[in-house]
Amino acid sequence: EAYVFSKHFAYVPELHNFHSADDAVIRRLIQIYRNEQIFRDDSKGAPRYGRRLSGDRTLLIPPLSWDSLVPDLAEALSVKMEHADGIFDGIRFSDEPIPLHFAFDQSRLEGYQLDLQGFENITVMESYGVVLFEGKLYRLPSEQCKRLAELKRMLEASQTQQVRIPPERMESFVEKVLPGLMKLGSVHVAQTVSDRMLQTPLKAKLFLDRVKDRLLAGLEFHYGEMVINPLETSGRSPGSDRILVRDGEKERQILELMEQGQFSKTEAGYFMDNEEAEYDFLYHIVPLLEKLLTVYATSAVKTRLYTGHAPLKVLVDVDERTDWLEFTFDMEGIPHSDIRKLLQSLEEKRKYYRLPNGALLPLESEQMQEMIRFLNEVGIRSGHLSGTSLRLPVVRGLHLSDSHEGGRAVKLGKAFRKLLENMRNPDHLDFPVPDRFVSVLRDYQTYGFQWLKTLAHYRFGGILADDMGLGKTVQSIAFLVSVLPEIRNRQQPALIVCPTSLMYNWRNELHKFAPEIRAVLADGTKTERNRRIRDTGPADVLITSYQLLRRDLDLYAHQSFHTLILDEAQYFKNHATQTAQAVKEIQAVYRFALTGTPVENRMEELWSIFDAVFPELFPSRAAFNELSREAVAKRVRPFLLRRLKSDVLKELPDKIESVQGSALLPEQKKLYAAYLAKLKQETLKHLNEATFQKNRIKILAGLTRLRQICCHPGLFVQDYTGSSAKFEQLMEILEECRGAGRKVLLFSQFTEMLGLIGRELGGQGVPYFYLDGNTPNAERVELCGRFNEGERDLFLLSLKAGGTGLNLTGADTVILYDLWWNPAVEQQAADRAHRIGQKNVVQVIRLMSEGTVEDKMYELQQKKKNLIDEVVKPGQESLSALTEQEIREILMI
């Protein structure tokens, strides 16, 4: 602001201001001044650097502030630099050598003399790393600046410009001081001195020998005919008239490496009697020394370290009669009795192994590291060996990396390479597709059939994890038809376990695609189920549900089935549930799981499914949890087949997804705010306490209440007479759909909400189909068929009951009335319409109340949407469950 000081002067900011460059300097100086004030107040004394001059008109700059101040000073408009030579304009740095001169000559007295010129004209600011000369600043490394400051102090103390050097110190001076002077300025050596200097390259020699289990080392520095033992306190001299110019830097490097060798020293040489230290020296340090000197070793030393190719090799092959892997170990020229001891040394992560002849075999080479990686991947331990070989189930070797095929230590046999190739390319074995399916299966489904047959060929289990709507059922039925003769010959039926809602769907699909298969539903009363399960003679396929399996486990556990197919396998993703325990009790020759979502929240879900269909793949849950996502993905790759609709169904119409938001109505918003405040208060009591898990259900119930208010407060608030913004929005969308002739699937996880919607539609005279968990299984299939044939244009479905197993390609619009924690569940619901057979573009609409927990739930969905990809193709995003932190985010606390 403008300010009047007097009649003659008024401060006007537009006129009276600093140039930006000067302003930067002033601001920097103010900062330095304040820092110095704080320091003086803290130390209760004078400033650290010198004293303040002329009151407060001089500011001392600490070295730590110098580098940050210099750029601003260089840009300022008016800066003057003052020192002994006068006052100079501006800050100028010079890259030229400092004008210092060193003259080296014989002294008039005994010895030699060094003349130093130019020191009287320079100012060395050691703490700042600069030298001032004639208005210029010269930057120097700290070591050079320190040496220059010492020389200047020495000259000032002696009040002379010469330094005398005794003859016996000349070699040390030339070796250690002269190279440093050359970096500081120009050096002139008089002819009379240079003629006496002996300059010849250093040729260092190291002599190694072993005597009585001791490693002996002798080190010599050769300069022409001169030999110097660096361990002797008095080195040999070339004579008083000669000056030896030694290579101090190279000598230092050699001596430092020898110091690392853990030798004991005498003037005669080095010695050590520690085997591990001897190995480290010979394997790690000698190769570095060989770059600096010549090593002369006796045969006792040369044979001490094994330097040939790694003698340990392993051949991996398959015994095609038994389908077992055979591992055969061999050590070239070394007794087989040493193989187990060597493997034990590898397990213990030893650096070397002492062979029977006393040679030390390095275990740190790339070949040995390849062997270690191989042993870890397969899980082989020294205790497993029987002689020089062992046998393991073939599955233990299937996740071997391709790199072993080109390795030197691990060789894969022809039969095993063929097996690996067949697993990578299931269609190589070319199992014939049953005739009736040749024209039914698409190319990718034929590949899926070949994959199932390949796994069965090697007695492996697997997970068919194709995207929802890609026909996992028909691929499985094709497999069952291909093994039907075997099923009947062995009198071992196949067992299909699925959710209750899909039992009739499986029966109908079997009748449609394979009418020759005798399929029996194991449902009805306990007595009826008992009879059907025990008397499986006429049945080729037995169909039951997870719920009934738990009840009838005692009947199933005593039977042996040909094939076990576990549909919608995410139903037993939690290994601790009774369902998971039940499916693992079933005995079957071939075991497969079908699921579009093998992983929803945690990697452990994948382990639970594989533990049911292929337990040999991950024998231990604890070991599985220690594996990285990349390691898990690598191991499951041959046994988990997943294709996306976007990749294999190019002709499938697009799926257009959108989120339509609405603001809560005033009365609805007031109710929501009250419940939110109460839930936040309750939640905060437990989030940071050990009682969090105990109260987790209570907290989640509170979140459900908030979501119900977003849907419609009338779901639980008695006598609520108001409406809901989302409800009104839905009615408008449905009216538009009717006008446009669209066929709609409407999903909600709250059956009460579906009831409210149904009553409103009934009042308007709008016909619709309805399906929830109470709808009889047989009726479900009938309702879907009537809808697909065009009988009605609207289908209300509960998310849980109608989200899986149904084919509703008659619809072209899917409305998700309320959001769910995991997007995979919603995806399944949307794919009831977006699947094989769909001819129209499918519109998926998610309704969301803005500014509520539904916003936060949508963000949570984005974190979870790539879970399956992390298993099939490892990524960097973390797996998410509904954690304490996510509850905080949802409630915004």
Side-chain angles (χ1 to χ4, degrees), residues 57-69:
R57 296 180 65 83
T58 300
L59 178 64
L60 295 164
I61 307 300
L64 288 175
S65 303
W66 170 248
D67 287 338
S68 60
L69 177 63

Side-chain angles (χ1 to χ4, degrees), residues 434 436 453 477-494 510 514-519 538-541 562-563:
R436 68 168 57 250
K453 293 290 290 183
I477 294 174
F479 173 82
L480 291 175
V481 171
S482 74
V483 295
L484 187 58
E486 198 174 308
I487 287 175
R488 291 176 175 173
N489 288 337
R490 294 184 182 182
Q491 295 186 341
Q492 285 182 321
L510 282 165
E516 69 271 31
I517 289 181
R518 299 188 293 263
D540 299 319
V541 174
H562 181 277
T563 300

Side-chain angles (χ1 to χ4, degrees), residues 207-447:
F207 301 89
L208 299 176
D209 194 6
R210 292 194 83 247
V211 179
K212 296 181 179 179
D213 293 329
R214 277 188 169 192
L215 179 64
L216 308 179
L219 182 61
E220 294 179 354
F221 294 150
H222 289 245
Y223 290 94
E225 297 180 356
M226 178 161 301
V227 180
I228 298 174
N229 179 353
L231 297 185
E232 291 182 353
T233 53
S234 58
R236 300 180 186 180
S237 172
S240 59
D241 61 334
R242 303 302 301 274
I243 304 169
L244 177 62
V245 181
R246 295 171 64 170
D247 189 342
E249 179 61 23
K250 189 174 180 180
E251 288 186 16
R252 181 189 62 78
Q253 293 178 25
I254 293 171
L255 291 173
E256 283 183 355
L257 288 172
M258 293 299 295
E259 284 293 328
Q260 294 177 24
Q262 302 181 38
F263 281 101
S264 298
K265 293 182 289 186
T266 67
E267 285 199 356
Y270 300 85
F271 69 91
M272 71 165 61
D273 53 10
N274 179 287
E275 183 179 272
E276 187 169 344
E278 182 180 357
Y279 165 78
D280 280 332
F281 178 74
L282 294 176
Y283 186 73
H284 292 290
I285 299 177
V286 167
L288 300 176
L289 286 169
E290 286 179 324
K291 299 176 182 179
L292 301 170
L293 49 71
T294 304
V295 177
Y296 299 88
T298 64
S299 58
V301 175
K302 290 178 180 178
T303 57
R304 178 63 165 164
L305 190 69
Y306 185 94
T307 55
H309 295 305
L312 180 61
K313 296 179 182 178
V314 59
L315 174 66
V316 186
D317 214 341
V318 178
D319 184 338
E320 295 184 284
R321 295 170 302 170
T322 61
D323 286 338
W324 280 66
L325 277 183
E326 293 184 333
F327 299 83
T328 305
F329 292 86
D330 181 56
M331 293 179 69
E332 183 180 339
I334 295 169
H336 287 159
S337 58
D338 271 53
I339 291 180
R340 181 177 298 197
K341 297 177 183 177
L342 176 55
L343 290 179
Q344 188 174 354
S345 296
L346 288 170
E347 290 171 20
E348 296 171 355
K349 300 182 180 179
R350 295 282 304 275
K351 295 180 180 179
Y352 64 92
Y353 173 73
R354 181 152 50 85
L355 298 170
N357 62 2
L360 306 180
L361 171 65
L363 303 182
E364 303 175 84
S365 65
E366 179 53 38
Q367 289 170 268
M368 282 300 182
Q369 292 305 306
E370 179 195 349
M371 180 63 70
I372 291 171
R373 289 192 296 271
F374 165 78
L375 295 174
N376 289 336
E377 285 182 23
V378 182
I380 294 177
R381 296 293 177 263
S382 58
H384 297 159
L385 276 184
S386 173
T388 61
S389 63
L390 77 157
R391 292 160 60 86
L392 292 174
V394 71
V395 65
R396 297 284 288 276
L398 284 182
H399 53 275
L400 291 177
S401 63
D402 294 340
S403 60
H404 289 303
E405 296 190 37
R408 301 172 65 181
V410 180
K411 297 296 180 184
L412 306 184
K414 182 178 180 181
F416 186 48
R417 290 199 307 273
K418 180 181 177 182
L419 185 151
L420 291 175
E421 185 65 23
N422 289 338
M423 292 306 302
R424 283 191 288 262
N425 302 282
D427 47 352
H428 280 191
L429 288 176
D430 196 22
F431 294 99
V433 177
D435 292 341
R436 68 168 57 250
F437 287 89
V438 171
S439 59
V440 172
L441 297 182
R442 295 166 181 258
D443 289 344
Y444 76 88
Q445 292 173 329
T446 300
Y447 182 93

Side-chain angles (χ1 to χ4, degrees), residues 424-692:
R424 283 191 288 262
N425 302 282
D427 47 352
H428 280 191
L429 288 176
D430 196 22
F431 294 99
V433 177
D435 292 341
R436 68 168 57 250
F437 287 89
V438 171
S439 59
V440 172
L441 297 182
R442 295 166 181 258
D443 289 344
Y444 76 88
Q445 292 173 329
T446 300
Y447 182 93
F449 166 80
Q450 295 288 349
W451 178 78
L452 291 170
K453 293 290 290 183
T454 301
L455 291 183
H457 176 74
Y458 291 112
R459 303 290 181 90
F460 300 148
I463 302 175
L464 181 57
D466 282 344
D467 208 355
M468 284 76 73
L470 288 186
K472 294 186 288 292
T473 301
V474 72
Q475 294 174 69
S476 304
I477 294 174
F479 173 82
L480 291 175
V481 171
S482 74
V483 295
L484 187 58
E486 198 174 308
I487 287 175
R488 291 176 175 173
N489 288 337
R490 294 184 182 182
Q491 295 186 341
Q492 285 182 321
L495 176 63
I496 297 172
V497 188
C498 60
T500 304
S501 59
L502 298 184
M503 290 176 64
Y504 285 88
N505 186 67
W506 265 101
R507 187 188 66 178
N508 293 346
E509 293 292 287
L510 282 165
H511 180 72
K512 174 182 176 182
F513 290 106
E516 69 271 31
I517 289 181
R518 299 188 293 263
V520 174
L521 285 176
D523 63 352
T525 65
K526 178 73 173 179
T527 303
E528 292 172 332
R529 298 199 307 273
N530 193 331
R531 177 174 52 80
R532 291 169 183 170
I533 296 169
R534 289 185 182 278
D535 184 18
T536 58
D540 299 319
V541 174
L542 200 60
I543 304 171
T544 190
S545 68
Y546 291 108
Q547 182 180 8
L548 293 176
L549 178 67
R550 294 196 303 270
R551 296 179 185 175
D552 303 331
L553 184 60
D554 57 327
L555 300 176
Y556 289 103
H558 298 297
Q559 293 197 50
S560 180
F561 295 92
H562 181 277
T563 300
L564 172 65
I565 294 178
L566 301 169
D567 192 17
E568 300 294 348
Q570 69 275 11
Y571 268 68
F572 56 93
K573 64 184 180 182
N574 184 345
H575 68 92
T577 61
Q578 291 182 349
T579 300
Q581 300 304 315
V583 297
K584 294 169 189 177
E585 291 290 326
I586 303 301
Q587 301 298 315
V589 181
Y590 308 112
R591 308 170 71 90
F592 302 109
L594 313 179
T595 174
T597 54
V599 180
E600 289 184 333
N601 291 304
R602 297 181 305 277
M603 287 288 285
E604 204 171 76
E605 297 169 358
L606 184 68
W607 177 85
S608 182
I609 298 175
F610 268 115
D611 196 42
V613 297
F614 199 12
E616 299 87 353
L617 189 61
F618 299 107
S620 164
R621 183 167 62 94
F624 173 85
N625 288 331
E626 292 176 1
L627 295 174
S628 66
R629 291 198 298 274
E630 289 76 9
V632 171
K634 180 180 176 182
R635 187 171 297 190
V636 305
R637 193 168 292 131
F639 313 106
L640 189 151
L641 181 62
R642 177 168 177 78
R643 281 79 60 87
L644 302 178
K645 286 199 291 287
S646 57
D647 296 331
V648 297
L649 290 184
K650 301 301 182 183
E651 75 278 16
L652 192 66
D654 289 338
K655 179 172 63 175
I656 302 173
E657 301 191 45
S658 62
V659 178
Q660 295 193 19
S662 60
L664 298 178
L665 298 177
E667 187 176 353
Q668 186 184 13
K669 188 173 184 179
K670 183 178 179 181
L671 191 62
Y672 179 89
Y675 268 84
L676 177 62
K678 181 180 178 182
L679 181 58
K680 281 186 176 182
Q681 184 179 6
E682 289 293 323
T683 304
L684 282 171
K685 291 180 183 178
H686 304 294
L687 278 178
N688 296 318
E689 299 176 7
T691 56
F692 169 71

Side-chain angles (χ1 to χ4, degrees), residues 113 133 177 184 214 241 244 248 328 333 735 761 836 877:
Q113 176 178 299
F133 176 72
V177 179
L184 294 174
R214 277 188 169 192
D241 61 334
L244 177 62
T328 305
E735 186 177 351
L761 293 172
I836 296 173
E877 295 182 31

